[in-house]
Amino acid sequence: MTIIQRPLLASALQAGLFVFLGLGGRTAWSAPATQEAFALHSFERHHLSDVYFAEGVAVGDIDGDGVQDVTSGPLWFKGPGFELGGEIRPAVPQDRARYTDHFFSWVYDVNADGHADVLAVGFPGTPGHVYVNPGPDHLDQHWKKHAILNSVANESPQFIQLVGDGTPELVCTNGGAFGYATINPKTPLEAWTFHPISDVVAPKQFGHGLGVGDVDGDGRQDVLSKSGWYAQPADLTGDPKWAFHPVNFAQPGGAEIYAYDVDGDGDSDVITSLSAHEFGLAWHEQIQEDGEIRFTKHLIMGAKAEENPYGLHFSELHSVALADMDGDGLKDIVTGKTYYSHHEQSTDWDAGAVVYWFGLQRTAAGGVSWVPHLADGDAGIGRQIVVSDINADGKPDIAVGGMKGCSVLLHETVATDAAGWRAAQPRRRKTD
């Protein structure tokens, strides 16, 4: 079990009960008025499999018993104990010297029969498939496979509600265009319809960096890429191209991209990693001048220890999740090292298969800091990381899959006092 620490700050911050202190090379907050505002957070690793089956992982109720289960490539694991539940398809271990044929997956009842199916994406540029859940009485059988899109490219596809119709879309690139694939409600297991929103500007097979969020605050979800964002138009009739706004968010691109109000000023900033196979994590502050939107980059973690206030650096942030990990009302960054992602080609490829979360803190003066906490030192991540309350205890857990196999990191908290919390805070890097 790896212990990490972070206070539950929301109510005390709103009440103005905190001041910022420098404590012998550390940065901490002073004690709140109530001791129960403090907690030590820990994550207990449950290693479901050490076999390389997939770069992704998914969470959902596979057997319909009301308890969350976990899928990793061809296998599903039954919650809450995560014993092997069965095979979705024949389980063939993948060659760690190469790449798997199963990258991403999501649990969703595609054909609306009451059973949770699995949407799966293979190696970038290959087709997407739906594996149809045969129902709780037949989970000892392999699931029927249906091709739904001829090619799913970009290495951070999203299955998310994009256009406001109440049904999630598969946001990806196809044939070199950014766009989204919609489920055909009358024939959900036949080919989905791809709606391009751009010209042919993306790699036809790979490509890094993709996200969904309302950048301009008009109430419509936009699509973000490493090179800028596509504004969703008010009318989608006839599949119009979406207006592109160029911004250098990340070159060569890293992971999922998020639009979120980091600094609390009412507009959407942008969060992403900078390179999937090298270094960098940043948030881009939105600034509006004369009706125009521009962004200022703020580095959270770079290639050198001195580029992070806590001296932290690790490479290969191929997936990023955004979730409120500590219950303070602010969303935090969850990421880690995609261990062995390009085998021994990437910088620091063997430097440790870590999983971290960066707690967002806002100061009274409008400043922002991201406090790093180690969630696990050996689970690593693949190309897809999932944050979900897997065991239904009210705390967000983390699920990962990749070269290290599949693991679930269950989140626990223990109350402490001000002194215990302060002593446990990560130490800031000393500067001259």
Side-chain angles (χ1 to χ4, degrees), residues 5 7 18 21 23 26 28-32 34-40 414-427:
Q5 300 83 18
F18 283 82
L21 300 175
L23 300 174
R26 290 180 286 134
W29 293 90
S30 64
T34 56
Q35 296 302 314
E36 57 268 22
F38 292 102
L40 302 183
V414 177
T416 187
D417 59 15
W421 170 77
R422 188 177 293 118
Q425 292 310 290
R427 292 183 175 274

Side-chain angles (χ1 to χ4, degrees), residues 9-20:
L9 296 173
S11 60
L13 277 174
Q14 293 169 0
L17 299 176
F18 283 82
V19 295
F20 209 59

Side-chain angles (χ1 to χ4, degrees), residues 104 106 121 125-126 128 148-160 162 169-182 192-198 202-203 205-206 209-212 223-224 230:
F104 309 97
W106 300 269
V121 173
T126 63
I148 51 88
L149 192 62
N150 65 323
S151 173
V152 182
N154 192 284
E155 294 191 39
S156 300
Q158 312 283 310
F159 188 55
I160 188 172
L162 173 66
E169 289 80 32
L170 179 58
V171 183
C172 60
T173 57
N174 177 276
F178 288 92
Y180 59 97
T182 54
W192 296 4
T193 302
F194 184 76
H195 306 263
I197 66 171
S198 77
Q205 184 170 18
F206 299 106
L210 187 63
V212 170
V223 172
L224 298 99
Y230 295 87

Side-chain angles (χ1 to χ4, degrees), residues 189-357:
L189 301 178
E190 297 181 8
W192 296 4
T193 302
F194 184 76
H195 306 263
I197 66 171
S198 77
D199 293 325
V200 178
V201 295
K204 292 186 177 181
Q205 184 170 18
F206 299 106
H208 292 91
L210 187 63
V212 170
D214 183 3
V215 177
D216 52 8
D218 64 359
R220 295 187 292 272
Q221 297 281 74
D222 307 308
V223 172
L224 298 99
S225 77
K226 65 183 179 64
S227 302
W229 57 283
Y230 295 87
Q232 182 174 160
D235 186 359
L236 297 175
T237 304
D239 282 344
K241 297 294 190 297
W242 296 16
F244 180 66
H245 302 268
V247 183
N248 182 8
F249 287 129
Q251 297 293 341
E256 295 87 347
I257 307 174
Y258 297 91
Y260 178 68
D261 186 4
V262 172
D263 51 9
D265 65 355
D267 57 28
S268 292
D269 309 301
V270 171
I271 299 169
T272 190
S273 69
L274 301 181
S275 177
H277 300 287
E278 291 296 328
F279 295 94
L281 179 66
W283 72 281
H284 301 259
E285 179 183 3
Q286 182 176 151
I287 299 173
Q288 298 189 23
E289 294 179 344
D290 299 325
E292 296 293 325
I293 294 175
R294 66 179 181 86
F295 292 88
T296 298
K297 175 182 170 182
H298 299 275
L299 190 65
I300 300 170
M301 182 179 67
K304 302 176 181 178
E306 53 266 32
E307 293 178 311
N308 176 265
Y310 297 86
L312 178 67
H313 73 289
F314 57 88
S315 64
E316 301 181 271
L317 286 69
H318 208 306
S319 184
V320 170
L322 198 65
D324 182 4
M325 298 301 291
D326 53 10
D328 67 354
L330 303 178
K331 290 188 177 181
D332 311 304
I333 297 171
V334 183
T335 187
K337 183 177 180 62
T338 309
Y339 191 79
Y340 214 57
S341 67
H342 269 193
H343 310 117
E344 299 181 12
Q345 300 174 40
S346 299
T347 304
D348 287 357
W349 68 269
D350 60 348
V354 297
V355 180
Y356 268 88
W357 64 284

